[in-house]
Amino acid sequence: MSADQEKLITELVGKGLAGDMDPINAIEDRVLRSKAKAALAKAKRAAKTATTATPTEEKPATETIAETPPSDNPNKKFGKMIEDTFQGSLDAELNDTHIQLKPDNWFEIAKWLKSEPSLYFDSLQCHTGMDVGENMLEARYNLHSMTHDHKIEIRIAVSRDKANIPSIEQIWRIGDWFERETYDMFGIFFDGHRDHRRMLLPEDWEGYPLRKDYEVQETYHGIAIPKVKVGWE
Amino acid sequence: MGVIHGEEMVLNIGPQHPSTHGVLRLKVKTDGEIISEITPVIGYLHRCFEKHCENMTYDQVIPYTDRCDYLAAMANNFGYVVAVEELMELKVPEKVEYIRVIMAELQRIASHLLALGVYGLDIGAFTPFLFMLRDRERILDMFEMTCGARLLYNYMWVGGVSHDLPKGFVETAFQFLDYFEPQIEEYNNLLTYNKIFIERTADIGVLPADVAISYGVSGPNLRASGVKWDLRKNDTYSIYDKFEFDVCTGDGGQGTLGDCWDRYYVRMLEVKESVKILRQALAQMPKDGDVHQALPKKIRPPKGSIYSRTETPRGDLGFYIESDGSPIPTRVKMRSPAFTALSVLGELAGGWMMSDVISILGSLDIVLGEIDR
Amino acid sequence: MGMLENRFQDNVVVAKLDKLIGWARSTSPWYFQFGLACCAIEMMAAAASRHDLERLGMMPRSSPRQADVMIVAGTVTMKMSLRVKKLYEQMADPKYVIAMGSCATSGGPYWQHGYHVLKGVDIVVPVDVYVPGCPPRPEALIEGLLKLQEKILDERPLTRKMA
């Protein structure tokens, strides 16, 4: 490019950044016009990163001055209350979707969640297990309060070799059947459960079906269980 | 005269028994006729629904949800589709919303008719069963007119429905409603206020409200204990906020609050409310619109999880879906209302006689397909 | 046989004893209501007012000892299969089995990933008639029962015993 053209392009880019696209669009020569537009796009991108870089530098300064405002999201609000009442029970950062807890103090926390008047989580809506990979199993609890009408989700992650979580079936009575089903499907043991046995599968079934690495057994009482044949899909 | 000391006997009811509503086994410890402990054993219909969900795409799962609660298949479809659409933040056209509500309410009437008819059959009354099934057949005719199937429809898809309403559906529906409303009076005369039925069901199996909430009981069983909780009003989904209807609760009309008669009567009242909603929905529905316009080309919800609930004829059905961005879900958990309803049987049935246990079991309205999945 | 014909009045019929027994058996098969899943609802609808099964002579019986035909309606799981076998053995001869629906025929929609589903009830009991459908309409079940009636009519119970 000649020096004249470069100077022209810089001038046009300046005008374009100010919002005036007419001079660029009025260029007769197609090649020059496209070069000018490309240079304008590059300049706009550079300007955007410059503006976003500056606020992050300022943020830590303002945060130390003012307090973080309390969050409206129930998971964050109640997660903070749990952390305040039972130190060291959170297993991960507070976020919008769930509260991650450690399994050790779970029975006490659950009793407090049900009886604390401002929370009063009196119904365990759903309990499920999850195979999250990396040799970890998770138990997830969806709690809901009929009086205050708010809900949270609690997740407890344990390793496959030592999958023990305290049982909460004495607090929410539906936990009895929910925990038996999770044990049946995933193999998570619930300490303190008064009737710990399989729920849906027969008592002498081997394996935990909903784990990702489950291999179905060959026969059951003499009846052969066919494997999925290759090429049937 | 001395007292005759009996021994406790363990009696086994089912899994094959005409009144267990499917393959349910009850291990009953009795002393003569009085029952001391009852343990339900389930799992005879475990069809690996959740394992199938982990290997099929999101729309291939819909026929499997049909077969879980086979008496209210439209309601299962509705619950699943609402959960996936919430995860994907997909909005459906207004006509589709109206069609879904109409189908769901028709299904509610059909399911309650069958539940009440079979309850009468368990008690020993054969005639109401035949009458209620006759009216249910007319509703199944309407379903067949729309989507071709009588029992398991695969009708509600993610983003729409499978077929539009045919010509003449609205007229047929209004004709059915005009025919059906006086029939409810006939059922009341036959069964609801029948002296023998009241003797068999009133004051039996009383479920207090706090026990019900702790056991997770929901739907008509919870409302019969006096708790005014209906997901269509308290946690609205779809367009239920556009219709006017009451939430019916039990009031101990013929006995104690929360007994078997209350659970029966709440279902009868709900049928009347469904007729009200249907009349409003059929009148307000937009006449034209394409039901397939919002169907996504590929269903790929963003990474995340959701728990969403809807109100089926049995209670609140919850779907917990976790997705990792691929077209196949990572985990779908179906939290069924009949599962929680059956778990409370052990509490309710202690101290009653054998025939009362059958009465209590019938009033809970369970479907084993949903419990075992 | 030739000398017996036309020797008596019109209300005397001469036929083989096999046919008489077959006719009596086929026109009143009492079915054992073994409804397991969704097909059970269609079986109940077939017995209700619109498609009446009782006009064909079928009566529902709850006990296996009193039944002739066992209609296996629905999915049979591994846990249930042992009980199906036991109930079949409790029925008295002559007994027949109808597999209703695709789950009882071959596992149905659960054939691929169903680890707990028995892929067809004919693994545990011998089946006479298969009725396909998911669920089969009540009319389809009635056709299956009529086919069973034809099968029973063509049996030769006396001939079998003497052979």
Side-chain angles (χ1 to χ4, degrees), chain C residues 127-149:
Chain C
V127 174
D128 294 292
V129 175
Y130 297 88
V131 180
C134 189
R137 288 186 61 105
E139 289 94 334
L141 176 63
I142 293 179
E143 179 172 352
L145 285 163
L146 291 176
K147 284 242 173 338
L148 181 68
Q149 282 188 344

Side-chain angles (χ1 to χ4, degrees), chain B residues 231-250:
Chain B
L231 278 180
R232 294 175 288 173
K233 281 233 148 98
N234 293 67
D235 196 3
T236 316
Y237 55 96
S238 187
I239 46 164
Y240 274 108
D241 45 1
K242 290 196 185 163
F243 305 118
E244 275 182 35
F245 60 98
D246 304 316
V247 174
C248 338
T249 54

Side-chain angles (χ1 to χ4, degrees), chain B residues 290-323:
Chain B
D290 185 13
V291 295
H292 286 176
Q293 77 188 51
L295 287 179
K297 283 209 177 24
K298 206 156 172 67
I299 304 177
R300 255 186 213 262
K303 209 164 155 150
S305 64
I306 193 172
Y307 178 66
S308 133
R309 320 182 271 171
T310 55
E311 176 92 14
T312 61
R314 273 161 193 85
D316 51 331
L317 173 73
F319 272 99
Y320 184 88
I321 303 183
E322 156 122 1
S323 116

Side-chain angles (χ1 to χ4, degrees), chain B residues 45 141 180 305 335 355:
Chain B
L45 199 56
D141 276 345
F180 183 61
S305 64
R335 180 260 194 215
S355 47

Side-chain angles (χ1 to χ4, degrees), chain A:
Chain A
M1 263 196 319
S2 66
D4 286 338
Q5 284 180 335
E6 275 183 22
K7 226 170 49 178
L8 182 60
I9 286 178
T10 337
E11 204 184 294
L12 291 172
V13 164
K15 287 204 182 134
L17 280 177
D20 188 13
M21 289 295 289
D22 288 338
I24 297 186
N25 288 333
I27 301 175
E28 297 279 336
D29 183 19
R30 194 162 48 103
V31 176
L32 187 57
R33 193 170 62 227
S34 60
K35 281 193 178 136
K37 283 192 179 169
L40 176 60
K42 204 164 148 188
K44 276 190 181 163
R45 258 203 311 270
K48 205 160 69 166
T49 46
T51 46
T52 48
T54 35
T56 46
E57 288 162 15
E58 290 170 15
K59 236 193 333 193
T62 48
E63 263 189 0
T64 46
I65 300 170
E67 293 248 326
T68 42
S71 167
D72 241 355
N73 182 287
N75 284 307
K76 280 199 174 139
K77 202 161 61 166
F78 301 131
K80 197 154 178 347
M81 277 173 80
I82 294 178
E83 178 63 29
D84 292 336
T85 324
F86 299 90
Q87 258 78 25
S89 47
L90 286 184
D91 210 4
E93 294 287 315
L94 288 175
N95 56 34
D96 280 341
T97 51
H98 63 272
I99 303 173
Q100 189 91 23
L101 290 180
K102 292 196 188 123
D104 317 302
N105 216 3
W106 172 224
F107 186 75
E108 302 297 320
I109 299 178
K111 226 164 43 170
W112 176 77
L113 280 172
K114 180 158 187 200
S115 51
E116 166 74 22
S118 62
L119 302 179
Y120 207 55
F121 282 110
D122 49 4
S123 108
L124 172 65
Q125 278 294 314
C126 177
H127 172 194
T128 175
M130 193 77 194
D131 186 347
V132 290
E134 291 162 20
N135 218 24
M136 299 288 276
L137 295 169
E138 230 178 45
R140 300 184 178 182
Y141 302 76
N142 285 79
L143 296 167
H144 172 254
S145 164
M146 300 272 284
T147 35
H148 300 294
D149 200 13
H150 45 227
K151 45 182 152 175
I152 59 173
E153 179 179 335
I154 293 185
R155 299 187 188 180
I156 301 181
V158 286
S159 80
R160 252 187 221 215
D161 313 317
K162 198 178 168 313
N164 290 64
I165 299 180
S167 156
I168 41 99
E169 57 120 0
Q170 305 206 22
I171 306 173
W172 295 290
R173 295 294 295 127
I174 188 55
D176 184 357
W177 277 30
F178 273 152
E179 287 179 351
R180 276 175 65 188
E181 189 192 337
T182 309
Y183 161 64
D184 193 6
M185 294 284 125
F186 285 93
I188 301 178
F189 291 87
F190 291 93
D191 305 323
H193 196 283
R194 292 173 286 187
D195 188 15
H196 202 284
R197 55 194 165 98
R198 281 193 187 258
M199 171 120 257
L200 298 174
L201 292 172
E203 297 285 332
D204 47 359
W205 196 264
E206 291 151 15
Y208 302 108
L210 283 177
R211 291 193 180 177
K212 298 286 182 198
D213 59 349
Y214 173 65
E215 291 286 331
V216 70
Q217 60 194 54
E218 292 288 330
T219 63
Y220 177 69
H221 280 248
I223 305 170
I225 307 178
K227 292 212 186 305
V228 179
K229 292 205 178 103
V230 179
W232 267 14
E233 291 107 50

